[in-house]
Amino acid sequence: MSNYPTSIEYIKAGTLRALAVTGATRSELLPNVPTMGDFLPGYEASAVNGIGAPRNTSSEFVDRLNREINAGLAEPRIKTRIAELGFMVLALAPADYGKIQRCRNR
């Protein structure tokens, strides 16, 4: 198994054959590649990346950091590059990101 950033260029060049993707749905970058769930119903493995701050960081600072990061993620050039690497941009509020992390850590 490999992740998109380290393998996508090889897949596009035809030197590596993708057998399946591990997400719940097919990848926009590799629409003809099935999901693992097609072979093993219920299978899904994905990762969420984000930026954290120490627990005692002021809410004002966290809110400003969140606004600035989300503004950057909305920039077309950045959004396009992230998509080219096989990632999906989720510009979330801090509480929503926290919910995702709590669900994933169960």
Side-chain angles (χ1 to χ4, degrees), residues 39-95:
F39 306 103
L40 299 166
Y43 182 93
E44 178 192 358
S46 58
V48 176
N49 296 300
I51 296 174
R55 184 179 305 268
N56 297 337
T57 304
S58 73
S59 60
E60 293 82 16
F61 183 80
V62 170
D63 290 341
R64 179 169 181 199
L65 186 60
N66 181 252
R67 278 193 310 275
E68 297 295 333
I69 290 169
N70 286 345
L73 292 173
E75 291 288 327
R77 204 171 102 206
I78 293 173
K79 198 171 189 173
T80 298
R81 182 61 183 141
I82 290 171
E84 289 171 350
L85 292 170
F87 295 108
M88 181 182 357
V89 173
L90 299 173
L92 301 173

Side-chain angles (χ1 to χ4, degrees), residues 4 20-28 30-31 33-38 43-46 88:
Y4 279 111
V21 295
T22 60
T25 59
R26 290 183 182 222
S27 166
E28 290 181 19
L30 304 169
V33 176
T35 68
M36 286 290 291
D38 292 343
Y43 182 93
E44 178 192 358
S46 58
M88 181 182 357

Side-chain angles (χ1 to χ4, degrees), residues 9-31:
E9 295 304 321
Y10 296 104
I11 294 168
K12 287 180 178 181
T15 56
L16 181 65
R17 182 173 164 225
L19 301 176
V21 295
T22 60
T25 59
R26 290 183 182 222
S27 166
E28 290 181 19
L29 289 177
L30 304 169

